[in-house]
Amino acid sequence: MNKVIASLLLALMAAPLAAQTSGDIPKLVVGITVDQLRTDYLQMMQHLFSEKGFKRLMNEGLMYENVTFDFPKPDRASATASIYTGTYPSYNGIPSNTLYNITRKRVESVLFDISKMGNYTDETVSAQNLLTSTVSDELKIASDGFSAVYSIAPTFEQAILSAGHAANSAFWFNEANGKWATSTYYNDIPAYIDVANRENSLSERIDTLSWQPLLPISRYTGLPYLTQDFLFKHVFSKYKQQKYSLFKRSGLMNEEVTRMARTFIENGGLGSHSLPDMLNIGYSAANFQDKSIQEYSLEIQDTYIRLDRELGRLLDLIDKKIGLNNTVIFLTSTGYFNGEGKEAGVFNVPAGEFYPRRATALLNMYLMAIYGQGDWVEGYHNREIFLNHKLITDKQIPLEEIQTRAAEFIIQMTGVQDVVTSYLLLHGQWNNRIDAVRRGYHRKLSGDLLLEIQPGWEIVYENIDNTRDYVRANAIPAPLFFFGKNIKPQHVMRPVKATAIAPTVARILRIRSPNAALESALPEIY
């Protein structure tokens, strides 16, 4: 009898606890973030789509028309982090793609990590600065590390922030050499990725590729006020060192992402284990070279058409290899769009130019007139002004006082709509607007003064190419789809929060929500 009991105990110990999963848990979850995807564009271009891509999600899946991010200026990094952590930048530590490093006095990636090397890249980035867990992390934790979690995307922001801290690995497209790169922060570099980089990388094919309309030009009627009667053709080989960068911003990049997703699905055994696996994929619906749709209206339509085709190929591949009845797919947007162009002066829309370098120089002179000589202003970045806290402390000046004086000065400048101080955000009275700004603010990373520039104006950065940032309210209708195992077709009109996505995926997987997620799972998912 003792031998029988001992054998049973050994058998139970040998079987992973997480393997005792419920039959309603999918074998594979595929999370897809599409940078700058718009619901209104999906609706306007439906007649251009196949039956296997977006139309299939709309007709057979659960669709939410309007995902809100509830903080100002979402971008690729802050949006992806909010989706996968279920919380805002004020908690997860990712307020934007880049930040101003006061110590090094320079702008750098929010994911910069000098301690980690790159593979197939010299970029030193990691998930170290992501301060909360992601739904990908929680799956790894729940399965005691047995679940396979991989991420692939055009950019390292999408790849790393969807992968989180505990993923097997995250891969992104390196625009310096055309290879798929990763960070030594992750431990798993599958051999088949090395093979793909050596034998079938874009570097071996780019000189033979060109981007032309996929359909006859007469069919490109998805944007009725932005039509062109001439074809486009973008050949990348002639741009030499910039060819990978331009390719990355073209409508062809999504095909490379699907190609890499196929490599993982066919070689990585995803969905074939006793535990659920997760594959996170980043696509892009941004306009070519981040230019305006007025300049490249055909290109943005072609990008959507090609993205639809890639989505159809991905769904077919998953169905063939794993089975859609064994898979749950969620797809959403990053909730912003950079493609709106400035109105021509002939229309008399009020406009102007705001020069940050001049504004900060004037502010520094003003503060010197009050408090004495010194570099009172450390820098400017992303509509935020950073003050010299060491100097302020040395001079024993109350932070609230100098921030208030600085705000009162800056707000008098033409083109400045409002200025909010960090002291007010952390200690001031609550209202809806301050609360929204607070959600997108991180006390250790964001500036002392947060500027709101008048809509219609341009922020002019006096650098080599005189970069301009056109200011326009950036709230776009962003979609969310759930599709696959146990998902009932439904169309939901009400707004839903991006921070509800991670708890909903956690419910599907029957695991904990990420550690800073406060939203409940969406009620349409049982």
Side-chain angles (χ1 to χ4, degrees):
M1 181 60 70
N2 290 337
K3 290 182 179 180
V4 172
I5 293 173
S7 298
L8 288 172
L9 287 173
L10 285 172
L12 289 171
M13 290 171 65
L17 180 61
Q20 302 171 33
T21 55
S22 171
D24 61 354
I25 297 176
K27 293 183 177 181
L28 176 67
V29 169
V30 179
I32 303 173
T33 54
V34 185
D35 190 34
Q36 303 188 50
L37 183 69
R38 301 176 56 138
T39 304
D40 54 346
Y41 281 13
L42 288 180
Q43 293 168 334
M44 288 191 289
M45 298 184 201
Q46 280 191 67
H47 64 290
L48 302 175
F49 294 157
S50 69
E51 298 300 320
K52 292 186 175 183
F54 283 114
K55 282 186 179 179
R56 188 172 188 182
L57 295 185
M58 292 176 181
N59 296 330
E60 300 177 31
L62 170 59
M63 176 182 180
Y64 298 90
E65 281 199 2
N66 189 12
V67 176
T68 63
F69 284 82
D70 295 327
F71 59 90
K73 301 183 297 180
D75 60 13
R76 186 169 56 244
S78 60
T80 305
S82 295
I83 290 165
Y84 279 86
T85 64
T87 192
Y88 299 108
S90 56
Y91 280 94
N92 64 41
I94 309 294
S96 60
N97 293 327
T98 56
L99 52 80
Y100 183 77
N101 188 308
I102 295 176
T103 303
R104 288 188 279 267
K105 298 187 186 307
R106 69 179 191 184
V107 175
E108 60 191 27
S109 169
V110 71
L111 299 179
F112 176 76
D113 183 356
I114 193 63
S115 68
K116 301 300 177 185
M117 296 176 60
N119 285 304
Y120 294 103
T121 180
D122 58 4
E123 296 161 309
T124 53
V125 289
S126 79
Q128 173 182 266
N129 295 333
L130 182 63
L131 302 180
T132 62
S133 71
T134 66
V135 69
S136 306
D137 293 332
E138 295 296 340
L139 176 58
K140 272 290 193 180
I141 294 167
S143 66
D144 198 23
F146 285 97
S147 290
V149 177
Y150 293 99
S151 291
I152 50 174
T155 66
F156 61 72
E157 293 95 350
Q158 282 175 287
I160 290 175
L161 293 170
S162 61
H165 309 87
N168 294 68
S169 58
F171 288 88
W172 61 89
F173 181 78
N174 183 0
E175 60 186 57
N177 58 22
K179 307 287 187 181
W180 285 92
T182 188
S183 166
T184 55
Y185 181 85
Y186 300 103
N187 297 321
D188 184 4
I189 303 179
Y192 48 83
I193 302 301
D194 275 329
V195 172
N197 268 334
R198 289 197 309 270
E199 300 179 0
N200 195 31
S201 73
L202 184 65
S203 60
E204 304 297 322
R205 296 176 281 112
I206 192 168
D207 290 341
T208 67
L209 299 177
S210 65
W211 182 22
Q212 303 178 68
L214 189 64
L215 303 178
I217 194 170
S218 60
R219 295 190 57 190
Y220 287 71
T221 56
L223 302 176
Y225 293 97
L226 296 166
T227 56
Q228 299 173 354
D229 56 0
F230 55 87
L231 294 171
F232 66 84
K233 182 177 181 179
H234 300 290
V235 179
F236 304 100
S237 57
K238 67 179 182 179
Y239 293 103
K240 298 182 180 178
Q241 295 301 319
Q242 293 184 319
K243 59 186 177 182
Y244 299 117
S245 175
L246 289 173
F247 182 92
K248 184 176 181 176
R249 289 159 178 79
S250 78
L252 301 184
M253 184 64 227
N254 291 325
E255 297 177 21
E256 296 301 308
V257 173
T258 304
R259 185 191 300 269
M260 184 56 59
R262 176 183 294 274
T263 300
F264 274 99
I265 292 171
E266 291 183 339
N267 297 281
L270 297 176
S272 64
H273 308 120
S274 57
L275 305 165
D277 299 318
M278 190 167 189
L279 177 63
N280 299 307
I281 301 172
Y283 286 119
S284 177
N287 209 2
F288 184 45
Q289 299 190 69
D290 297 322
K291 300 290 186 179
S292 72
I293 53 176
Q294 286 82 359
E295 294 177 87
Y296 292 121
S297 64
L298 285 183
E299 281 88 342
I300 191 67
Q301 292 182 73
D302 197 69
T303 294
Y304 270 72
I305 294 167
R306 290 177 180 275
L307 174 59
D308 174 72
R309 300 302 195 273
E310 295 311 306
L311 186 57
R313 291 190 180 102
L314 179 66
L315 294 178
D316 283 347
L317 175 64
I318 293 170
D319 196 21
K320 178 181 177 181
K321 294 295 182 179
I322 298 109
L324 289 173
N325 60 330
N326 295 317
T327 306
V328 168
I329 298 161
F330 70 92
L331 182 151
T332 193
S333 166
T334 50
Y336 73 101
F337 183 63
N338 279 338
E340 299 291 354
K342 181 178 173 59
E343 297 81 4
V346 68
F347 298 113
N348 297 319
V349 176
E353 296 176 339
F354 177 78
Y355 292 82
R357 182 181 294 179
R358 301 177 192 179
T360 53
L362 288 171
L363 175 60
N364 197 68
M365 287 191 291
Y366 171 73
L367 295 176
M368 283 196 299
I370 298 173
Y371 298 110
Q373 292 294 315
D375 294 326
W376 296 99
V377 179
E378 289 274 19
Y380 171 96
H381 177 61
N382 197 24
R383 306 183 206 178
E384 297 178 6
I385 293 176
F386 296 78
L387 299 180
N388 189 333
H389 281 227
K390 183 180 185 304
L391 183 58
I392 293 169
T393 301
D394 291 344
K395 295 283 189 177
Q396 298 182 345
I397 301 169
L399 184 61
E400 179 185 11
E401 176 191 319
I402 193 169
Q403 284 186 349
T404 301
R405 284 183 181 272
E408 290 172 347
F409 180 79
I410 290 291
I411 203 169
Q412 296 179 58
M413 294 182 178
T414 306
V416 177
Q417 176 70 24
D418 198 7
V419 181
V420 178
T421 69
S422 64
Y423 188 92
L424 177 63
L425 285 179
L426 297 174
H427 306 286
Q429 293 183 343
W430 181 93
N431 59 51
N432 286 331
R433 179 177 170 278
I434 292 296
D435 194 41
V437 175
R438 177 72 180 86
R439 288 193 289 267
Y441 172 92
H442 193 277
R443 60 188 179 85
K444 293 185 178 181
L445 303 174
S446 301
D448 292 272
L449 308 177
L450 284 70
L451 279 58
E452 182 182 352
I453 306 301
Q454 181 72 29
W457 279 56
E458 286 185 299
I459 302 172
V460 183
Y461 301 96
E462 297 172 276
N463 49 23
I464 296 175
D465 55 359
N466 225 31
T467 305
R468 291 170 177 261
D469 181 10
Y470 175 60
V471 180
R472 187 181 180 91
N474 209 12
I476 66 162
L480 168 63
F481 299 93
F482 283 91
F483 179 82
K485 185 178 179 66
N486 297 333
I487 304 296
K488 297 179 180 179
Q490 193 173 352
H491 198 119
V492 180
M493 303 287 289
R494 76 174 191 280
V496 298
K497 295 181 178 180
T499 49
I501 297 173
T504 303
V505 177
R507 172 185 280 182
I508 291 170
L509 288 167
R510 304 298 190 264
I511 60 176
R512 303 180 306 180
S513 290
N515 61 14
L518 296 177
E519 294 295 324
S520 300
L522 294 168
E524 289 78 15
I525 301 290
Y526 298 99

